[in-house]
Amino acid sequence: MNGYNFTIAGASLMALGSGALWWPDQNLLVVSDLHLGKSERIARRGGTSLPPYDTRDTLNRLAADLALCHARTVVCLGDSFDDLAASEALPESERQWIFRLQAGRRWVWIEGNHDPGPVEFGGAHLAELPLQPLTFRHIAHESAAGEISGHYHPKASLALRGRTITRPAFLIDSDRVILPAYGTYTGGLRTQSDVLNTLMRPEALAVLTGPMPTAIPMPR
Amino acid sequence: MVPRAPHAILLTMQHLPEKFRNWFSTKGWSIHPHQQAMLDRADAPALLLIAPTGGGKTLSGFLPTLIDLHETPHEGMHTLYISPLKALAADIKRNLTTPVQEMNLDIRIEERTGDTTATLRKRQRADPPHIFLTTPESLALLVSYEDAPRMFKGLKRVVIDEIHALAESKRGDQMMLALARLNTICPDLKRVGLSATVDDPKAIAHLMARHPDPCQILQADPGPAPDIQMLQTEEAPPWSGGGAAYSIPAVLEQVKDHNTTLIFHNTRAQAEIFFHKLWLANDDSLPIGIHHGSLDREQRARVEGAMVRGELRAIVCTGSLDLGIDWGDVDLVIQIGAPKNVKRLVQRIGRANHRYNAPSKALLVPANRFEVVECVAALEAVLAGELDGDPRSTGPRDVLCQHILITACAGPFDEEALYREVKSAGAYSSLSRAGFDACLDFCATGGYALRAYDKWQRLIQRPDGKWQLRDPRATRNIRMNIGTIQDTDTLKVRMQRSRGGKPLGEIEEGFAATLTKGDTFLIGGQIVKYEGLREMTVEVSRDSAKKPKVATFMGTKFATSTQLSARVQRMFTQEDWPELPPHTAQWLELQRTRSQLPQPGRLLVESFPHDARAQTVIYGFAGRNGQQTLGLLLTKRMEEIGYSPLGFVATDYATLIWSLDPVTDADALLEANALQNGMEAWLAGNAVMKRTFRASATIAGLIERNSPQARKSGRQATFSSDILYDTLTKYDPDHLMLEITREEALRGLVDFGRIEEMLARTKGRIDHLTLPRVTPLSAPLFMEMGRVPVKGDAEERLLAEEAKRLMENSGLAQITPAASDKPRWRVGY
């Protein structure tokens, strides 16, 4: 599998080009901020009618990652649904698809700020998941160590001779990993933003997603 | 032509009301023939006046209104005036108020633009003035209110100023749709258009009149021929580039010899650089200002004010000064760089000697050797009175989608009636019912193959068949997003200071992303140093560097018009060129001996080795954007054929491609069908295409630039329109928005229409010459900026290289395991 290997709190992890995080020793795949049902939520609230293919596309990519790594456990780090009503409004075909992906593996829904309650899909619903030596939660705690979180949708830009590449990125230091958003209809927060600068240590890395995940010093 | 004999004027003056006759005589004026002609035809349903700048155009438009209001008392709004510029509306208000006060007429005149206060706007809707001055966007907004029928009740005339500037844009299309709506409210509404000199008045008349009403065209006396020349300098222009720095001493001399000079540039970046260099050479400290669209509004207003007061000797500017604002005492216009478009040149020249009957004076400054040819061709076109214009296709449907939403804001509508109304706008007169229905379906349901939003449709049909908004709260978002002007995403630039430093202007977000702390760049004529980004504002400090390291914003590059390109090609068929300076004539002569000059109706392709690579030049004369697209398509074709292309560069007339292997079969490479097929595939993944999509999707209401929610939730809640484009291409390739995007790609930045025009013009008649060395005509291409490397895996490779360099420089490389190794290190404990 193509990924960027690193170690945190003694656990060896791999940041995948898709934006998912792979923990081989535990056979565990982490994805964050799927925002399933986003287009439906925007339409419901009187906004524009975005192409209703976002859930399909996000699940397509998740299925592809699962086909590659055969994870026994999947952890969704919160904001898996754009809101709780969106989780109920998914079309039947997409609901069945999620059930198929869940079959034969452990599935953990971490609560996010968009989906703060239990959803009517199988699997465990947790505020956070401790799994020695790591802790999985939606929003990073400043004092935590060995923490895997999402929420901020980090993205990093790099100027290359005459062109700038901006991509969703993992942020990694000795205390924590912040995952990029995995959902198709998601934007990003620049690594230069104050909140990310406060959370991450000066020597933090940004791993740009894409065909070949690439580590750079976190752009400040 | 209107009669010009003096007795005719005296005679018709008799028809003016006494008050007006007296006013004209106290001013010592007589009524212009075309002003009288406009009065005589005041009852025509549509009337188009073509008059040069300064021909008393405004008064011609308003005289019938003033007289009618003087003779017949009127309740509510009588005349609606629409101008493309806010500043112009303010100007007109001043100019109209003078005669109204001097004649002591009881007429209320008010303007409404984006800058008008909320209180006044509210009052204007309840109690509209007699004469109402506004812009197309403000009009579209007013039409979206439920009380529009009350506000515009009794409206008799609409005057559209500078209609030539609107007729070629989506702003004009939106305005005409709004007028179609007004015509339904006020069936007897008369339309008057005021236009500068244009190539095809009939085309504007067709757009302007309510279809199928006739539209009379009045031509005012065009005035004396302009005095226009090419600047002669001792030093020959350089072989390439667009800066014309060589001309600075000569330009300064001209500025000294005239009262006020306007120095026009084709791009903002060029204006900035030229201004900077001009200032360095300005030993006499002449007061010179700069004016372009990226500068802060206050700064622009300061320059405009100084100019009106006659305090400036010169203004370096771009198209932001193109429109007919009254600038007073401009006596010279200098155009830096080939004008690219004869019509625009003529309108710019009109800026000089803004007085009727005085010849305008203008100088053309070619920026490079090829532009010498182009300038001479443009000069001949001006003298021959031959203007260029690109025929417009039918009205763009993204604008129609926005109009449907605007209509829904005003209240429930009947689709049949709306379709008829839309077709009464000239640009949409040939719109098919199916084309209209697709737009309505898009507005109502999103128009997706997957009918996902039945429950959440934006528009729903009532039992009586009328359409209305499902959620009335949507009106707020729709109104916040009215308009068709597409600014690229820009960031404000401010001086760094404790709190709220001086605003300088804006730069493109893409450019800002390339800056790192300490980089210097030019804005508003000064060099500033990039300090950082704070809350989406670029903070800078003053810098004393002599040479800015980084160029400014990208801006649009105009492409040379089809007609001007054709003229240049015709010049190439001449025996010799007495009209050209010797250095340029000799250059063309040399090309004729070493290779050949491109011939009209044929396509010249040259292949020769240079720089250890195979070089191929295609002289397509398809304009900058078209040649750029041609470069992208051909390098893709070359990759398939196996020539291993490495990169290309494009100008207005040619594309140069370098490759590992020489092109042996130009016919196969340029085969029309293969190019068209390549276009389809290439379009899908192209960045320019994504930009085109974004513009149309924003206008059509799929993407909302402004929303109250977005302001609250910040940037990670919004996502790139590229994602929508990719999703649609993947799951719904026949969607209306992609169809519209493909229609748009025929013009604009992709400009595939010009490539099709080139293919039609040359019909496979290709002159492919294989030569031993660089040819004279191709030589400038080797110095041209903006070389494009062939993409593909290049981006990933560049990324890997740059990441490696950064990691090594930062020292992080030593403490991080290589990607392929088993992890051995912990990150920095």
Side-chain angles (χ1 to χ4, degrees):
Chain A
M1 212 178 331
N2 212 351
Y4 176 80
N5 290 298
F6 63 99
T7 305
I8 177 168
S12 303
L13 304 175
M14 190 192 251
L16 303 184
S18 63
L21 184 69
W22 174 232
W23 189 359
D25 296 343
Q26 295 281 341
N27 235 324
L28 179 145
L29 187 79
V30 194
V31 288
S32 189
D33 300 274
L34 302 177
H35 287 273
L36 301 175
K38 178 159 194 150
S39 55
E40 189 269 345
R41 174 172 175 247
I42 291 174
R44 176 174 9 110
R45 299 174 117 209
T48 70
S49 319
L50 296 179
Y53 308 106
D54 51 330
T55 302
R56 183 191 288 199
D57 192 65
T58 305
L59 293 177
N60 258 331
R61 288 183 296 111
L62 183 56
D65 270 344
L66 288 171
L68 268 179
C69 69
H70 305 289
R72 274 209 304 275
T73 306
V74 171
V75 178
C76 299
L77 276 186
D79 288 0
S80 307
F81 298 92
D82 212 46
D83 66 4
L84 288 172
S87 77
E88 287 150 25
L90 283 192
E92 194 50 32
S93 58
E94 287 166 1
R95 301 169 68 81
Q96 292 302 325
W97 197 352
I98 295 179
F99 288 131
R100 281 201 302 282
L101 292 178
Q102 290 181 322
R105 48 175 64 99
R106 186 179 174 218
W107 197 283
V108 180
W109 304 102
I110 304 278
E111 289 183 1
N113 50 314
H114 279 254
D115 49 359
V119 287
E120 49 176 290
F121 290 91
H125 298 272
L126 301 172
E128 50 184 64
L129 168 71
L131 201 60
Q132 280 308 320
L134 303 177
T135 304
F136 298 84
R137 62 168 62 101
H138 182 55
I139 304 181
H141 289 183
E142 226 169 287
S143 55
E147 176 192 73
I148 313 294
S149 66
H151 180 66
Y152 291 108
H153 304 200
K155 67 174 180 187
S157 298
L158 189 57
L160 311 169
R161 283 173 270 166
R163 77 178 72 155
T164 306
I165 292 182
T166 301
R167 292 190 183 166
F170 294 85
L171 299 184
I172 303 170
D173 67 14
S174 53
D175 294 327
R176 65 172 47 86
V177 181
I178 301 182
L179 266 68
Y182 195 86
T184 296
Y185 286 178
T186 52
L189 183 65
R190 291 159 61 95
T191 53
Q192 283 88 348
S193 75
D194 289 346
V195 54
L196 293 176
N197 268 294
T198 317
L199 274 171
M200 303 306 293
R201 286 173 175 262
E203 69 274 14
L205 296 178
V207 176
L208 273 61
T209 55
M212 187 66 191
T214 309
I216 56 169
M218 176 178 155
R220 305 264 182 174
Chain B
M1 206 49 85
V2 168
R4 295 180 64 193
H7 65 267
I9 299 170
L10 281 177
L11 210 136
T12 45
M13 279 282 275
Q14 304 297 325
H15 295 304
L16 279 179
E18 200 187 343
K19 214 173 202 177
F20 287 74
R21 223 165 39 223
N22 291 343
W23 180 73
F24 267 97
S25 30
T26 46
K27 289 272 168 188
W29 293 348
S30 59
I31 186 166
H32 278 308
H34 61 262
Q35 291 173 335
Q36 182 62 50
M38 294 283 283
L39 261 182
D40 296 343
R41 291 165 181 74
D43 284 333
L47 198 52
L48 174 63
L49 172 67
I50 312 274
T53 324
K57 232 182 336 187
T58 315
L59 196 56
S60 330
F62 280 107
L63 211 46
T65 298
L66 299 184
I67 292 175
D68 192 34
L69 280 171
H70 166 66
E71 288 176 342
T72 333
H74 186 87
E75 274 290 309
M77 199 187 296
H78 179 283
T79 295
L80 171 70
Y81 165 92
I82 311 168
S83 93
L85 282 186
K86 283 185 235 174
L88 201 50
D91 225 42
I92 296 297
K93 188 182 169 192
R94 256 198 319 276
N95 294 348
L96 261 189
T97 306
T98 313
V100 165
Q101 281 177 349
E102 287 173 353
M103 284 186 272
N104 201 12
L105 300 172
D106 184 20
I107 296 176
R108 215 170 94 218
I109 306 167
E110 283 174 18
E111 59 175 307
R112 185 207 197 280
T113 65
D115 298 339
T116 308
T117 62
T119 342
L120 183 54
R121 288 177 185 203
K122 215 167 160 187
R123 222 245 309 112
Q124 284 172 342
R125 277 169 63 192
D127 176 23
H130 295 119
I131 298 178
F132 190 62
L133 316 168
T134 191
T135 58
E137 289 72 26
S138 283
L139 176 64
L141 182 62
L142 289 172
V143 163
S144 83
Y145 290 118
E146 302 85 332
D147 59 5
R150 205 186 64 218
M151 179 173 185
F152 292 103
K153 190 169 168 253
L155 182 67
K156 291 171 97 170
R157 305 181 71 228
V158 53
V159 178
I160 310 158
D161 206 356
E162 308 279 349
I163 190 171
H164 60 280
L166 288 168
E168 289 172 6
S169 73
K170 292 188 177 179
R171 300 182 70 202
D173 297 321
Q174 175 163 61
M175 173 183 71
M176 295 320 302
L177 286 172
L179 287 188
R181 181 102 209 101
L182 286 190
N183 253 117
T184 305
I185 300 172
C186 329
D188 291 329
L189 184 62
K190 312 271 185 290
R191 302 180 180 192
V192 172
L194 309 175
S195 169
T197 322
V198 285
D199 58 311
D200 189 1
K202 279 199 187 116
I204 293 189
H206 169 70
L207 290 176
M208 197 194 102
R210 174 169 61 166
H211 189 75
D213 283 355
C215 178
Q216 294 191 47
I217 300 169
L218 286 173
Q219 296 264 11
D221 182 346
D227 166 15
I228 159 173
Q229 291 173 40
M230 193 165 71
L231 180 76
Q232 300 283 350
T233 53
E234 282 175 28
E235 200 184 329
W239 289 109
S240 69
Y246 78 96
S247 68
I248 283 185
V251 167
L252 266 180
E253 280 310 307
Q254 292 293 333
V255 171
K256 279 180 208 160
D257 290 347
H258 292 85
N259 291 329
T260 310
T261 306
L262 290 187
I263 306 171
F264 274 107
H265 287 262
N266 289 332
T267 70
R268 293 168 191 183
Q270 279 168 6
E272 283 281 357
I273 295 165
F274 193 89
F275 179 68
H276 176 63
K277 290 183 174 154
L278 195 63
W279 197 249
L280 292 179
N282 183 8
D283 297 330
D284 300 348
S285 297
L286 297 170
I288 298 175
I290 179 165
H291 189 288
H292 63 70
S294 288
L295 293 177
D296 186 69
R297 197 171 56 175
E298 261 177 55
Q299 238 183 321
R300 272 183 286 162
R302 241 189 335 269
V303 170
E304 288 165 15
M307 168 140 195
V308 170
R309 291 190 301 274
E311 293 166 7
L312 292 176
R313 295 294 298 279
I315 292 133
V316 176
C317 56
T318 63
S320 61
L321 267 186
D322 264 347
L323 290 165
I325 299 173
D326 198 344
W327 286 124
D329 212 14
V330 174
D331 52 355
L332 176 66
V333 166
I334 297 182
Q335 162 70 38
I336 306 281
K340 306 290 174 200
N341 176 312
V342 179
K343 185 167 50 179
R344 194 166 50 239
L345 173 68
V346 167
Q347 286 160 6
R348 280 183 178 174
I349 294 172
R351 311 295 317 122
N353 270 341
H354 202 163
R355 275 157 296 176
Y356 211 46
N357 293 333
S360 315
K361 200 168 161 194
L363 272 179
L364 300 187
V365 181
N368 59 49
R369 207 65 64 91
F370 193 87
E371 286 192 352
V372 174
V373 184
E374 225 179 286
C375 283
V376 169
L379 277 175
E380 288 176 353
V382 173
L383 292 181
E386 207 180 89
L387 304 187
D388 39 17
D390 288 316
R392 286 209 72 199
S393 46
T394 51
R397 285 193 288 164
D398 48 0
V399 178
L400 175 57
C401 290
Q402 189 180 113
H403 182 70
I404 293 174
L405 291 173
I406 288 173
T407 307
C409 284
F413 65 87
D414 177 72
E415 60 178 88
E416 192 58 47
L418 181 60
Y419 175 59
R420 276 199 308 273
E421 192 178 284
V422 165
K423 272 176 72 89
S424 79
Y428 294 90
S429 56
S430 57
L431 176 73
S432 71
R433 183 61 199 248
F436 173 83
D437 286 347
C439 292
L440 179 58
D441 182 42
F442 168 79
C443 293
T445 70
Y448 300 105
L450 178 71
R451 313 298 292 188
Y453 295 128
D454 288 352
K455 230 160 103 192
W456 310 123
Q457 282 190 205
R458 237 179 161 188
L459 302 179
I460 50 171
Q461 215 164 2
R462 309 194 309 182
D464 67 356
K466 288 189 170 181
W467 291 90
Q468 69 175 32
L469 287 168
R470 175 180 59 82
D471 184 346
R473 286 172 303 179
T475 50
R476 186 160 159 220
N477 278 30
I478 292 169
R479 288 192 183 122
M480 276 178 92
N481 287 282
I482 284 178
T484 58
I485 303 175
Q486 291 302 305
D487 328 309
T488 41
D489 286 324
T490 53
L491 299 177
K492 290 214 178 317
V493 181
R494 269 178 189 280
M495 274 295 170
Q496 190 181 45
R497 209 166 286 165
S498 53
R499 203 158 253 275
K502 199 172 128 204
L504 297 173
E506 291 174 341
I507 55 176
E508 285 183 14
E509 200 171 346
F511 172 66
T514 66
L515 293 172
T516 47
K517 196 170 152 64
D519 280 347
T520 53
F521 63 98
L522 276 168
I523 184 159
Q526 54 182 318
I527 299 179
V528 294
K529 187 158 76 188
Y530 178 70
E531 295 290 349
L533 194 65
R534 203 166 96 181
E535 285 158 13
M536 303 318 285
T537 300
V538 174
E539 293 197 324
V540 297
S541 60
R542 263 178 233 289
D543 197 90
S544 54
K546 269 267 149 61
K547 245 186 120 167
K549 271 187 281 181
V550 195
T552 42
F553 20 69
M554 323 252 292
T556 10
K557 281 184 178 155
F558 292 114
T560 300
S561 70
T562 316
Q563 291 86 338
L564 192 52
S565 294
R567 215 168 236 282
V568 168
Q569 288 182 78
R570 281 204 299 279
M571 277 178 74
F572 284 162
T573 61
Q574 291 171 207
E575 279 289 307
D576 51 12
W577 300 275
E579 71 275 40
L580 289 178
H583 52 69
T584 304
Q586 282 156 15
W587 173 51
L588 295 185
E589 195 51 57
L590 198 61
Q591 168 72 14
R592 195 170 265 169
T593 2
R594 293 262 175 90
S595 171
Q596 68 178 53
L597 283 166
Q599 297 303 304
R602 306 187 67 84
L603 183 61
L604 175 63
V605 179
E606 293 176 335
S607 291
F608 46 81
H610 180 70
D611 224 2
R613 282 163 185 176
Q615 313 278 352
T616 301
V617 188
I618 300 100
Y619 297 93
F621 288 89
R624 182 175 294 274
N625 297 331
Q627 291 288 148
Q628 179 95 6
T629 298
L630 189 64
L632 289 162
L633 289 177
L634 288 182
T635 47
K636 199 165 178 293
R637 288 272 297 144
M638 286 169 72
E639 194 124 28
E640 288 161 11
I641 300 173
Y643 292 124
S644 302
L646 296 162
F648 73 90
V649 67
T651 65
D652 274 304
Y653 61 99
T655 302
L656 164 69
I657 305 176
W658 49 99
S659 55
L660 291 179
D661 297 315
V663 170
T664 47
D665 189 352
D667 290 332
L669 183 62
L670 288 154
E671 211 268 311
N673 285 336
L675 273 187
Q676 261 139 359
N677 295 341
M679 177 74 183
E680 278 295 310
W682 167 77
L683 275 185
N686 181 265
V688 183
M689 203 63 188
K690 289 179 181 175
R691 252 171 91 175
T692 308
F693 168 80
R694 181 173 61 184
S696 284
T698 308
I699 292 171
L702 179 64
I703 302 171
E704 291 182 334
R705 300 174 65 80
N706 306 308
S707 83
Q709 295 92 328
R711 271 189 216 151
K712 268 185 275 166
S713 53
R715 285 183 78 81
Q716 78 250 48
T718 65
F719 57 95
S720 158
S721 62
D722 293 2
I723 292 174
L724 294 182
Y725 178 82
D726 290 340
T727 307
L728 275 180
T729 318
K730 202 159 149 190
Y731 297 102
D732 210 340
D734 296 328
H735 188 261
L736 176 72
M737 280 319 307
L738 293 182
E739 215 176 281
I740 292 176
T741 307
R742 282 189 284 267
E743 285 164 14
E744 294 285 312
L746 288 175
R747 320 181 269 271
L749 290 170
V750 180
D751 219 0
F752 194 67
R754 287 290 291 273
I755 298 179
E756 289 189 327
E757 182 268 332
M758 174 198 90
L759 292 173
R761 161 161 53 84
T762 55
K763 293 201 189 69
R765 290 181 294 253
I766 296 172
D767 298 321
H768 185 207
L769 304 186
T770 305
L771 300 154
R773 69 177 82 88
V774 178
T775 60
L777 202 56
S778 70
L781 288 161
F782 288 88
M783 288 169 265
E784 195 61 41
M785 303 282 282
R787 300 178 141 233
V788 182
V790 170
K791 263 210 166 189
D793 297 333
E795 190 166 281
E796 292 302 317
R797 233 188 55 220
L798 280 174
L799 177 60
E801 277 171 24
E802 180 65 9
K804 191 165 166 243
R805 195 185 65 79
L806 283 173
M807 292 297 275
E808 272 162 11
N809 287 355
S810 68
L812 286 169
Q814 281 106 56
I815 57 165
T816 316
S820 55
D821 289 354
K822 262 264 159 215
R824 279 164 301 184
W825 295 86
R826 294 179 175 195
V827 180
Y829 275 104

